[in-house]
Amino acid sequence: MKRRAIIAGTGAALPENCVSNDELARKVDTSDEWIVERTGIRFRHIAAPHETTATLAHDAAKQALETAGLDAGQIGLLIVATATPDNTFPATATKVQAMLGIDDCVAFDVAAVCSGFLYALSVADSMIRTGVADHALVIGAETFSRILDWEDRATCVLFGDGAGAVVLSAEENSARGILSSKLHADGRHYDLLYVDGGPSTTGTTGKVRMKGREVFRHAVTNLASVMHEALEGAGVEASEIDWVVPHQANIRILEATAKKLGLSADKLVITVDRHANTSAASVPLALDSAVRDGRITRGDLLVLEAMGGGFTWGASVVRY
Ligand code: UT7
């Protein structure tokens, strides 16, 4: 019998405070026109002091459990993908576990920045298929606003805060589920997108530094290539895809990648306009939004993809 991890439920959480480009332009030397034209971003949510990566992760997880019709106690594995943990240690996953009232499960964080959710999804899929757990929570959660340099207009306008979650459940002989995942990393590009601090180097948290143009150039090539790989792994053609659920960094990256695969732009789930780049949260946030508004329906063939600091990148093909 073939055991697979199916997506049983999705959830999302966004901070209450939603900030427009115009509001940002009052504090930062930028304009709505520049941001929209270069990135497609119109709004981003910014966490208040009481909203942390763990509280957002918890709220998204709770909603995903509700849609899956599961109790928190049934979860055997909980992974939080984040680059902005509540504390250096322990893992934010253990904080979320306690908030959900789960007394015992496997819980840890995954650090692959914007690709974190794809990495976490792939790890959870493997652990479900090998019988470690029957039900898993995979959460992407970030408070990037806390590591932004608000003096650096080239980065601070691009990011937002939020969390998205999925419940994965084991199913035998199902046509649904995660069909294939491909992951990559190339640490030679460490310095193109990084945070200039950390416990082992400066002893400070640090701020985001990015060479945007170089990241952009690599993103389109790497994403198109890993999507090809994942499709091949699943034995499906690009023409069979119903929805691409991409990492939401820049509308121009999304459209250029779709074009490279010969896909029409109306197959893209786009949330970058409302959420900006929420790093590890962006793919599950986009997934949840398209499930909730009825665009993605059961049986649809999805491709999830992301690329971020490291560089890391990956794609998963999922029959929803
Ligand atoms: O999630 C991880 C992956 N991250 C990404 O995928 C990000 C990839 N990179 C990008 O999305 C784009 O490179 C950016 C949106 C970051 C930048 O767009 P760009 O078209 O590459 O612009 P640029 O950095 O080359 O800057 C062009 C101009 C510069 O002015 P000059 O030198 O031409 O006079 C910048 O100073 O735009 C200026 N600029 C701004 N102007 C107004 C940079 N940031 C801003 C700003 N407002 N916020």
Side-chain angles (χ1 to χ4, degrees):
M1 283 210 295
K2 199 164 164 64
R3 189 175 153 100
R4 248 192 206 146
I6 64 135
I7 296 182
T10 66
L14 290 161
E16 236 169 76
N17 183 24
C18 182
V19 179
S20 70
N21 291 342
D22 282 332
E23 286 172 83
L24 211 57
R26 282 185 217 130
K27 293 191 297 180
V28 180
D29 179 19
T30 188
S31 65
D32 176 58
E33 194 190 359
W34 189 94
I35 302 172
V36 172
E37 194 179 298
R38 300 288 176 124
T39 71
I41 296 165
R42 291 176 188 276
F43 299 95
R44 77 281 297 139
H45 291 253
I46 303 289
H50 70 278
E51 291 167 319
T52 71
T53 294
T55 67
L56 294 167
H58 164 267
D59 294 352
K62 234 178 147 216
Q63 203 178 67
L65 284 167
E66 273 162 27
T67 36
L70 288 180
D71 292 328
Q74 291 173 268
I75 294 298
L77 169 66
L78 192 161
I79 309 179
V80 175
T82 188
T84 48
D86 275 29
N87 295 87
T88 301
F89 80 80
T92 299
T94 58
K95 195 168 178 181
V96 176
Q97 177 201 8
M99 290 166 89
L100 288 168
I102 304 172
D103 293 338
D104 187 17
C105 73
V106 179
F108 58 92
D109 290 357
V110 160
V113 208
C114 300
S115 318
F117 183 77
L118 269 298
Y119 267 66
L121 192 73
S122 175
V123 170
D125 174 39
S126 303
M127 291 176 79
I128 283 185
R129 280 190 285 106
T130 52
V132 174
D134 289 332
H135 303 287
L137 263 170
V138 184
I139 309 164
E142 302 278 16
T143 43
F144 247 60
S145 62
R146 307 257 157 83
I147 55 166
L148 293 176
D149 175 355
W150 291 98
E151 306 279 303
D152 177 15
R153 67 176 184 175
T155 53
C156 74
V157 303
L158 304 175
F159 296 91
D161 302 332
V166 300
V167 170
L168 295 182
S169 293
E171 218 170 79
E172 309 289 341
N173 293 324
S174 180
R176 293 199 283 148
I178 299 170
L179 308 183
S180 145
S181 292
K182 300 288 172 188
L183 302 174
H184 293 278
D186 184 350
R188 286 173 299 176
H189 304 298
Y190 196 93
D191 294 340
L192 294 182
L193 174 49
Y194 72 110
V195 167
D196 61 359
S200 171
T201 50
T202 60
T204 59
T205 305
K207 302 290 179 202
V208 174
R209 305 293 169 209
M210 177 167 75
K211 295 211 165 65
R213 276 215 170 167
E214 277 103 310
V215 179
F216 191 109
R217 196 165 48 81
H218 282 91
V220 177
T221 313
N222 290 347
L223 288 170
S225 133
V226 76
M227 282 166 77
H228 264 304
E229 254 186 278
L231 289 169
E232 208 173 281
V236 295
E237 301 289 329
S239 57
E240 296 174 62
I241 299 172
D242 293 300
W243 292 103
V244 180
V245 187
H247 171 50
Q248 312 280 325
N250 186 321
I251 188 85
R252 292 185 291 140
I253 296 179
L254 271 59
E255 289 171 352
T257 311
K259 201 170 161 195
K260 261 192 164 220
L261 283 162
L263 291 169
S264 90
D266 58 14
K267 294 208 165 177
L268 292 168
V269 176
I270 295 166
T271 51
V272 69
D273 54 335
R274 289 175 286 135
H275 300 162
N277 182 347
T278 56
S279 181
S282 89
V283 170
L285 269 173
L287 176 65
D288 181 74
S289 97
V291 166
R292 252 163 236 284
D293 68 21
R295 270 179 294 170
I296 293 179
T297 54
R298 286 290 175 199
D300 280 357
L301 190 68
L302 316 179
V303 181
L304 281 48
E305 49 93 328
M307 137 112 194
F311 291 146
T312 53
W313 64 103
S316 289
V317 176
V318 182
R319 177 74 63 188
Y320 178 67

